[in-house]
Amino acid sequence: MREVAVIGVGCTKFGEKWETSFRNLFVEAGALALEDANLSGEQIDEIFVGNMSAGRFVEQEHIGALIADYAGLATDNIPATRVEAACASGGLSFRQAYTAVASGMSDIVVAAGVEKMTDVGTEVTTDVLAAAADREWEGIAGITFPGLYAMIATEYMHRYGLTREQLAQVAVKNHDNGAKNPNAQFRKPITLDTVISSTLVADPLRLFDCSPVTDGAAAVILAPLERAREFTDTPIKVLGAGQASSTIALHDRKDICTLDATVAAGNRAFQMARVERKDIGFVEVHDCFTIAEICAIEDLGFCKKGEAGKLTEEGQTAIGGKIPINPSGGLKACGHPVGATGVKQVYETVKQLRGDAKGRQIDTEIGMTHNVGGTGATVVCHIFGRV
């Protein structure tokens, strides 16, 4: 396998993008990435685009062809493939792009993600997202993702003594980081009281424990490391990649407080990268709910089970702490356009490692991403480093 680097990145602002369309979101992110890499569209060999459910959100399928067409690449017959893995669609599109370059199948490959979620009502959005769980055994009983993660939170708090305040501190920290991110959906700090007194969604999770409904797109461009400096002075190397699957239904897990696919995917990424946990300068984790960040910190091996709440309370996961988590603001504050999130995590990681994350910069040479589909049925992890 060839060594691979990211040579260009682009990301739209996340939020309720009433003024633009699904296809225009992707074109904007792709154009930013091409400009960043000093590339023209004709130099692209292949495209992978993560998208969960454009068919339900904007009534559009055949996303690969649509993207190639509206990116101006269809006349060159450039192959474009849609990748779907629920909320891990973006991370998986990056893995597929990485594999294409590493294998030698293609040289210049775009990994992108896009979702336009606000064109339908809340009831439809909730139902679309619920399809990432087991429809026959969970969805049919009325379970939605806030309910599933509330079950995890309830069991975790009972077993490990996580306090309501510690859980809320995840949101406070991520909103503080998001306030420093110009692409974030929410750019205003919040307090513990704001979280704890917000509307109850699924006990113990409240409104500010939950990531928002979001429109947005992100794109990154990969190339063989040996060619990377043809395009950029600051290539970022892909050190490790890991993917894992688990049961789609939460009730089939041996321990709902541990996402075993996170454990497996993280271990595979670390094994490939040949680095230790202590070498990681920050992690962009999949905090679709505050409890998800707590579990991710532990399942990735940055502390023992039951310790992440205290680590968060002590400020060790904040920028400047022992292991900064979600310097972008995470899904919680930056926003969660489900197909785009995994690629946005890569975008943030590349910006950090280049030294371009103004206002939230972390001085490190290695960063990590963690993208989850459903309640952990699909997990994709990547580790990146400066060259």
Side-chain angles (χ1 to χ4, degrees):
M1 290 176 62
R2 299 189 295 182
E3 294 183 310
V4 179
V6 178
I7 60 170
V9 296
C11 187
T12 69
K13 291 185 177 181
F14 282 9
E16 296 179 348
K17 309 290 285 185
W18 304 108
E19 73 284 1
T20 192
S21 67
F22 174 87
R23 62 192 70 191
N24 286 342
L25 283 169
F26 173 85
V27 170
E28 180 185 347
L32 289 169
L34 285 170
E35 182 180 0
D36 187 53
N38 298 303
L39 277 169
S40 65
E42 292 76 17
Q43 293 172 275
I44 296 170
D45 294 324
E46 196 166 0
I47 301 170
F48 292 90
V49 55
N51 175 259
M52 176 180 167
S53 197
R56 295 286 307 276
F57 285 130
V58 296
E59 298 185 353
Q60 176 70 59
E61 300 290 5
H62 210 176
I63 300 305
L66 178 82
I67 295 307
D69 188 5
Y70 278 82
L73 304 176
T75 54
D76 295 321
N77 305 123
I78 293 172
T81 305
R82 174 189 180 177
V83 178
E84 188 279 316
C87 306
S89 298
L92 191 54
S93 77
F94 182 86
R95 177 179 167 83
Q96 296 303 104
Y98 165 78
T99 301
V101 177
S103 69
M105 181 70 74
S106 300
D107 272 5
I108 310 299
V109 180
V110 175
V114 58
E115 210 77 57
K116 186 78 164 66
M117 303 174 69
T118 62
D119 288 4
V120 296
T122 302
E123 184 176 330
V124 175
T125 301
T126 301
D127 185 65
V128 173
L129 295 175
D134 191 322
R135 180 70 83 177
E136 187 172 342
W137 289 101
E138 295 175 324
I140 201 168
I143 288 291
T144 61
F145 274 97
L148 289 166
Y149 276 92
M151 293 180 191
I152 295 173
T154 298
E155 175 64 16
Y156 186 101
M157 295 171 86
H158 171 73
R159 192 184 302 178
Y160 298 108
L162 178 73
T163 68
R164 176 60 264 192
E165 289 75 18
Q166 289 172 334
L167 192 61
Q169 189 60 50
V170 173
V172 172
K173 182 261 300 177
N174 287 347
H175 275 261
D176 188 57
N177 293 347
K180 304 178 181 73
N181 182 355
N183 288 332
Q185 183 168 359
F186 299 123
R187 300 198 61 201
K188 184 178 179 180
I190 59 174
T191 65
L192 279 175
D193 184 64
T194 300
V195 183
I196 294 170
S197 63
S198 62
T199 303
L200 187 66
V201 176
D203 195 23
L205 301 180
R206 295 181 174 271
L207 182 63
F208 276 87
D209 288 296
C210 310
S211 59
V213 173
T214 311
D215 303 328
V220 302
I221 304 174
L222 299 87
L225 181 61
E226 62 190 23
R227 292 191 58 194
R229 292 195 183 274
E230 296 177 24
F231 310 100
T232 179
D233 293 330
T234 55
I236 301 300
K237 184 179 177 182
V238 184
L239 302 178
Q243 180 186 347
S245 302
S246 185
T247 65
I248 192 168
L250 193 61
H251 64 251
D252 284 329
R253 309 276 174 83
K254 61 183 178 181
D255 178 2
I256 68 171
C257 295
T258 296
L259 276 63
D260 52 357
T262 292
V263 176
N267 285 340
R268 290 166 185 167
F270 275 107
Q271 183 178 13
M272 181 177 177
R274 297 181 181 178
V275 298
E276 305 293 333
R277 269 72 177 174
K278 62 180 176 60
D279 300 320
I280 303 296
F282 65 92
V283 191
E284 283 285 316
V285 308
H286 196 94
D287 62 318
C288 49
F289 299 91
T290 49
I291 187 62
E293 178 168 315
I294 294 293
C295 291
I297 295 167
E298 297 166 350
D299 296 343
L300 290 171
F302 291 102
C303 66
K304 294 179 180 179
K305 206 66 189 174
E307 294 182 353
K310 184 178 180 182
L311 205 67
T312 303
E313 184 180 35
E314 293 174 346
Q316 294 303 311
T317 61
I319 294 172
K322 180 180 178 182
I323 178 64
I325 302 294
N326 285 328
S328 72
L331 287 59
K332 180 66 201 70
C334 192
H336 184 28
V338 287
T341 287
V343 182
K344 182 274 295 183
Q345 292 177 329
V346 177
Y347 169 89
E348 173 70 16
T349 301
V350 169
K351 297 289 278 188
Q352 286 282 352
L353 295 177
R354 285 178 175 177
D356 292 339
K358 297 178 181 178
R360 61 188 192 282
Q361 184 65 54
I362 297 165
D363 184 15
T364 184
E365 295 188 355
I366 301 177
M368 184 175 187
T369 63
H370 162 259
N371 193 200
V372 175
T375 53
T378 301
V379 177
V380 188
C381 292
H382 291 97
I383 298 175
F384 301 84
R386 291 178 182 167
V387 178

